[in-house]
Every structure is written in structure tokens, then in C-alpha cells.
Amino acid sequence: MNKEFKFSIKSKLFISVCLTAAICVSLPLGFAYYLLKADLVADVHKSVQERIRLSKRIYFKNSDVATKGRVSLVSAMLGTEVGFITVDGKVEVAPSWSLGNSLSLSRAEILNTKDGEPGISVINDPHDGEEMLAAIKVEKSSLSPAGYLVIKESLNGLEERMGMILKVFFWALPIVALVCYGVIRFVTMQLTSSVESMVRTAEAVGQGNYRRRIRTFPDKEFVPLANAINWMAERIDDHVSIITGQKNKIQAVLNGMWDGVMVLDGDCRIQSVNRALHDIFPGIQNETGRTPLEIIPSPDLYDACKELVSQEGPEAKAVQVVLPNGRVYDVNIVRSPHTSDPGQGPGAIAVFHDISKIKRLETVRQDFVANVSHELRTPLTSVKGYAETLLADPPPPESVQRNFLATIEKNANHMCKIVDDLLNLSRLESGHEKVDLLPIDPSDALREAWEACSALAGIRNVELKRSFNKGDFLVKADSGQLMQLFRNLLENAIKYGPEDNPIYVEHAVAEGRLQLSVIDEGPGIPTADQSRIFERFYSVEKFRRNEFGSTGLGLAISRHIVSNHGGDIFVQCPPKGRRQGTAFVFTLALL
């Protein structure tokens, strides 16, 4: 709502009427004042002329008297001081009023005398106010030289009378304004009530109460306006209902999408986003009005948006955005002229499609092919080389042949183990492997797994220490898969832990689940490798895999076994409460 101060209609009407009344009153009064002042000044001017002429006649009647005597007689008869200055500029009689303004031939009233006619000038004395001076020339006589008689007439009386008129004029204006206010208040009282009723209805509609109507019709002059406001409110109510319904449908569609949607205006600033984009970029719903580059660290995305919203931009464009967390998105951007205000140019809609899984699967597939090829190539090369040597002519000695055949058997067994592990992993991933979840004692599975690893444990002089015994608790699991899980983790601990050091299997119970930890005291796994150790064929120390005949699939199989049992598996380096070593921790459901 516009908060700028505006004059009300009543105020405007009052000001207009007052101005009109003031003009109507001021013009005649001002004109009358001007005419009256002109008449009064003319009267004073005429009176001064008559008096200066009378002073000349009196001056010549006393021709037998010297100049000063004549001037004294004139002053006495006129009742005012008269001055006299000769045509040579000598002041014969200086009246008291000329002390601050001495007589001289250069004075205006003397210069204005022509052909025996008096000269008049008006001066503004700082002490006596405005004054009128008159001078008339007298000819030379036997006892006095030629010169000028000068008299003064004060205009203070005139100014006082004009001041009284001005006071009456200025007192008339407030009275006129007061009368105008009373008349206007009486006239506009009903008008204000009608306008306020319509204003309240318009404000209610503006605030979202589209069902508000003007029920009491105002004066007949406002009936068309009231009907127009009611009709406008009805139309707005209908349009808002339609727009709200369409908006809700569109928002429901957008929120139901798996892909993130971002709506941009003509300045490439975010207008709105859907729920999926909230999940991709938490808090982005609070960033409306900002550019995508301020939220998403992708200059390519921002450049594509700017290009698209330009006047000559393409209709659509696609870019790929890689986020710092490793997620990858295909972003399709299309022009949308309906996403911006008129005159702002077209907007755009950006759709974020998550292709992280596809990218990861492509990487896994490429790594899988490369790793399988590498894992099989090494033993196959060895088998091929020894076989060619055995087939050579002449053949090698029998003792050498037996060694070669043993090596061939060892590599063949390694390849069989790789193939078996791959098939096992494939069955686990596909879900075709039957899982019989039965109540079992995990100590039995641990015992069977340790017996399978006993040969390797004996070579490295490693013993097993556990924190639980048979009958302590039961878990819901598949005995075969649980034994394989223990075996994979124990084999890793034996192979990569230090010789002559024990392996620990510890347990903890929390929230109805059993947490088991297989712990060794080895050097641990670097932090950079911990997020990838459950991938196929991934190994931290690849140079040691051939030393133990490892296929690189044990941890990947273990992860799928735990997942099939509804648990989690993760690594801790160092284990909780220890300074070094590695702990593989997994959870199972307790009975």
C-alpha cells in the first residue's frame, strides 16, 4: 500500500474554495486599495503644489523685506518650515528638517522645476518615514536674489490610513476562510461517509477479502461507482479462484516431480523453486531474488541462463552441473515468456535431473571391466607362460615341470576364486540368493569362520579374542552368509594386521540391535580410501594382493550380506578407544 501522504478531497475542496474566495476578495480589495492610495497620493501631491505656489505669492507680497525675513513670514503663514537656496547654490535659509539631508541644486525637486511650475520629489527618511518635498523658483527682487523655495510634507498620515485599510483586509481573509470551512464541512459530511464506505470495501478487497461488498448505497452521484466496485470485487474473486486453483495444480505437479525445478525472471534471478530443489539445495527457498550463481557454484549454468533470457538467445539449452558433494545433474533450460513482468524480457525454467547414479554406475562398470581384466590377465599370463615352457622342445626336467604345474594350479585356483566371488556377488546384488533369516547364535558362525582361516592365522601367528560367548544372545540371520561375512573380515584382519598380534571381535547392544566389530592393530586405512574400500577390486595396498591371493571382492560381498540382513557396515580408523588399527563394524537385528 502506498504510504505517501495525500490531501483528502475535503482538504482539496477547502483549499480550492478558500483560494477562490481569497482571490475573489483580494482582487477587488487590492484594486480598491491601489485606487485609494493613488487618490490619496494625488491629493497630497495637489495640496503640496498649492501650498508651494501659495508660499511664492506670500514671498513676493513682502518685497520690502530681506530674504530671510520673507522666508520667515512664509513659514509662519503656512505653518511649516520653508527653506531657501539661491540659484548659485547658497543656502540662505536652512530649515531644521534639512540638517540630515542638506539643500542643494542637485536635489530632485529643484531639478524638476520648469517654467515657474513647482518640482516635487518623494524621499524615504530613516527617521521620519516617507516624505514629499516641493520646490518653486522665485525671481530676483530688490532685496533678495533669485532662488528656490522648498517645503516638506510628511506622508505618515497617509501610511497610517492605508495601514488601517490593510488590517481590515487581512482580518477579512480569516473570516472568509472560517465561513468557507463551515460551508464545506456541512456539504462534504455526507460525501465523506459515502467515500469511506467505498474505501473500506476497496481496502478489504485489496487485503484478500474478495467477498466484501457495498451493501448501503451512498448518494446517487456515487451509485455508479459503488456498482462498479461491487462488480470489480466479484470479477477479482472469480479470477483469483481460478488462478489459485491453477497455481495449486501446477505447484502440486512441480512438488510431485523427482527433478528439481527453478523458475527465473528476465534478469536471471530466482522467482520460485519446487520441493525437489529444496532437497538438492537446502535453504534455496529463502533465496528468491538472487541469481543462480550466488547459490550454485556453476558459472556454466549462470552463463546459459543469461544467454537464454537475452533477446536473441536460444529457445533451450542444456548444461551439466557437478556439485562439491559429488552429485552430478543434467540441467535443461528453456525460455518462458510467462515468468517475468511485461517489458522485462523472457524468463526461463531450469530442470535439474540427477544423473549421479548413472555416472557412478558408468564409473563402476568401467572400473569393473578394467579390474576384472587386470585380475584375470595376471594369472592367465602366468599360466600361458608356464604352459608354453612345458610344451617346449626339449621339455624341461621333471622337477621343473612339477614346479611349473604347481604354479599353473595355483593361478587357476586364484582365477576360479575370482569367478566364484563374482558369481556370489552377482547373486547377492540381484537378490536371487535365498536368505533364510533364522534365530542363530553368532558365536557359531564366528567359530566356523575362524576354523576356515586357521591355516592363514597359524602362518602369521595370530589368535582370536572375542567379548562374547556361546548363548549370550541370538540374532536373526542366515548362518551361511553370516559365516562368510565373518570369514571375509577375519581374513582381511589376518592379512593386513601385524604378525604375532591378536584379532579382537567385540560387541555392543543398542536400540534392539547387536553391533559387532572386527578389530586389528594394523597401520589402518587412510581417510581418502575409507569411502571406497567397499567397492569391487578396490585395494589400499594393491602390491600385497598377490601375496595373499586376494580377489579384492571380499568387502564388496560383505557389504551386500549386511545389506540383505537390514544392517549397516562401516569402518573406523582408529577404532573407538584405541590409538591405532582398523575396525570393521556391522549391525544385526537381535531377538
Side-chain angles (χ1 to χ4, degrees), residues 235-437:
R235 298 296 296 166
I236 290 176
D237 189 17
D238 294 339
H239 288 310
V240 168
S241 298
I242 295 172
I243 293 171
T244 302
Q246 293 176 343
K247 179 182 177 182
N248 292 337
K249 291 178 182 178
I250 294 173
Q251 194 64 40
V253 171
L254 291 177
N255 289 333
M257 294 176 59
W258 289 100
D259 296 334
V261 179
M262 176 188 294
V263 181
L264 304 170
D265 62 12
D267 294 326
C268 201
R269 296 185 178 276
I270 300 173
Q271 279 192 333
S272 62
V273 296
N274 70 341
R275 188 177 300 162
L277 203 65
H278 296 180
D279 300 333
I280 299 172
F281 304 103
I284 194 173
Q285 67 272 20
N286 301 321
E287 304 294 341
T288 54
R290 302 179 69 182
T291 62
L293 187 59
E294 297 178 73
I295 314 299
I296 305 169
S298 175
D300 292 340
L301 173 63
Y302 181 68
D303 292 342
C305 293
K306 292 294 288 184
E307 182 180 355
L308 211 68
V309 300
S310 62
Q311 294 297 330
E312 300 179 356
E315 292 295 325
K317 199 161 185 177
V319 296
Q320 194 170 95
V321 175
V322 181
L323 301 183
N325 60 4
R327 307 294 292 181
V328 183
Y329 294 88
D330 265 343
V331 184
N332 295 315
I333 314 169
V334 296
R335 289 165 65 94
S336 176
H338 303 293
T339 60
S340 61
D341 296 330
Q344 295 293 320
I349 297 177
V351 180
F352 291 72
H353 179 62
D354 191 352
I355 59 171
S356 304
K357 188 174 182 180
I358 297 174
K359 287 290 185 181
R360 182 171 56 82
L361 291 176
E362 288 180 357
T363 303
V364 170
R365 179 183 59 81
Q366 293 170 356
D367 291 345
F368 176 75
V369 172
N371 289 328
V372 169
S373 300
H374 175 74
E375 292 297 331
L376 293 177
R377 183 181 181 83
T378 301
L380 281 175
T381 301
S382 178
V383 169
K384 183 175 182 297
Y386 284 112
E388 289 175 349
T389 304
L390 290 174
L391 294 174
D393 190 18
E398 185 177 350
S399 59
V400 175
Q401 291 180 15
R402 292 183 64 83
N403 291 333
F404 284 4
L405 290 173
T407 303
I408 291 173
E409 182 184 20
K410 177 183 175 182
N411 284 284
N413 290 335
H414 182 62
M415 286 188 289
C416 288
K417 190 173 187 304
I418 291 175
V419 174
D420 289 341
D421 285 347
L422 285 173
L423 291 174
N424 189 16
L425 182 60
S426 177
R427 287 194 297 270
L428 290 171
E429 289 180 340
S430 65
H432 295 161
E433 182 78 7
K434 185 178 180 181
V435 180
D436 295 325
L437 299 179

Side-chain angles (χ1 to χ4, degrees), residues 465-468 486 489 503-508 514-520 570 572 575 582-587:
K465 293 185 178 181
R466 58 184 181 178
S467 63
F468 58 94
F486 274 124
L489 298 180
I503 294 173
Y504 300 91
V505 178
E506 298 180 351
H507 78 286
L514 175 65
Q515 180 176 285
L516 296 171
S517 304
V518 179
I519 305 171
D520 64 63
F570 55 92
Q572 288 181 346
T582 303
F584 284 93
V585 185
F586 63 94
T587 60

